[in-house]
Amino acid sequence: MKILIINGIPQGNQYRHYEREFEQILKEHSQHEIVYFKLRDLNINYCTGCWDCWMKTPGLCAIKDDQEQIIKYIPHVDHIVFLSPIILGYESALTKVFKDRFIPVAHPYIRIHNGEQHHYPRYEKMPNLSFIGIEDEHTIQADIDLIKHTYERVSLNFDSTLSKFHTSKNIGGVANVFSNF
């Protein structure tokens, strides 16, 4: 299985020890082909809403930055895993900016899907999505519910599935996420 991992842990963040544990778990599950990106090491700009990715250069964002090197993997992987601390009740800003730039993976055309209006997927097969959130002492259930609902909607909008959603104050439960792929 090919897995794309998007690490949204910011620079100098108190969650870096979780990142080391997470990377150790990845090494232990090397039976999967893993492509791993740390968003803090990349230059990814905000979406400007220009719609070039739909109208002028279908499937390609007009912003030329490091997002391109990640997006190109989407039609070739089976799974995308987002790793992010929960900061002020939501995923990290790095993760949010990256996820906002997902627009090129859908067509601008609308269809009725599951009784709702949704975009046609650009690719024949879309990868499943998973979210691994690192809670802090201020995280409440409403925060977790909001993030989960957001990822369920992203999955639905891109004709995919949210196959795993896991939050924890420790990263140990992540091993279970990978053992079930």
Side-chain angles (χ1 to χ4, degrees), residues 104-164:
V105 303
H107 283 290
Y109 313 108
I110 302 292
R111 65 185 170 144
I112 302 298
H113 179 65
N114 292 342
E116 300 178 344
Q117 294 181 358
H118 293 281
H119 294 278
Y120 283 97
R122 184 166 301 281
Y123 308 112
E124 192 172 306
K125 180 184 104 33
M126 290 296 291
N128 290 330
L129 302 181
S130 287
F131 177 82
I132 300 169
I134 305 164
E135 300 176 33
D136 66 14
E137 66 275 4
H138 304 293
T139 303
I140 60 174
Q141 189 61 45
D143 301 336
I144 294 167
D145 293 344
L146 174 65
I147 297 167
K148 184 174 185 183
H149 181 73
T150 301
Y151 276 84
E152 288 169 342
R153 299 305 296 177
V154 168
S155 298
L156 182 60
N157 284 326
F158 291 113
D159 203 27
S160 181
T161 301
L162 178 63
S163 63
K164 305 213 182 295

Side-chain angles (χ1 to χ4, degrees), residues 160-171:
S160 181
T161 301
L162 178 63
S163 63
K164 305 213 182 295
F165 183 89
H166 179 79
T167 67
S168 179
K169 290 188 181 354
N170 64 56
I171 207 77

Side-chain angles (χ1 to χ4, degrees), residues 31-151:
Q31 74 270 18
H32 302 299
E33 184 180 334
I34 295 175
V35 181
Y36 182 57
F37 288 97
K38 294 180 183 178
L39 296 179
R40 70 174 176 273
D41 296 338
L42 303 173
N43 175 34
I44 299 177
N45 296 294
Y46 293 96
C47 177
T48 63
C50 70
W51 307 116
D52 281 4
C53 60
W54 282 350
M55 308 312 275
K56 290 185 180 179
T57 56
L60 301 173
C61 184
I63 301 170
K64 300 303 172 201
D65 61 13
D66 294 333
Q67 180 89 353
E68 290 177 291
Q69 61 181 291
I70 303 173
I71 290 288
K72 71 180 182 184
Y73 284 100
I74 289 177
H76 307 290
V77 298
D78 302 301
H79 211 97
I80 301 173
V81 177
F82 292 88
L83 170 66
S84 176
I86 298 173
I87 302 171
L88 298 173
Y90 204 62
E91 64 193 350
S92 72
L94 291 170
T95 308
K96 174 81 168 70
V97 168
F98 172 80
K99 196 174 70 186
D100 286 349
R101 296 271 306 282
F102 257 26
I103 293 171
V105 303
H107 283 290
Y109 313 108
I110 302 292
R111 65 185 170 144
I112 302 298
H113 179 65
N114 292 342
E116 300 178 344
Q117 294 181 358
H118 293 281
H119 294 278
Y120 283 97
R122 184 166 301 281
Y123 308 112
E124 192 172 306
K125 180 184 104 33
M126 290 296 291
N128 290 330
L129 302 181
S130 287
F131 177 82
I132 300 169
I134 305 164
E135 300 176 33
D136 66 14
E137 66 275 4
H138 304 293
T139 303
I140 60 174
Q141 189 61 45
D143 301 336
I144 294 167
D145 293 344
L146 174 65
I147 297 167
K148 184 174 185 183
H149 181 73
T150 301
Y151 276 84

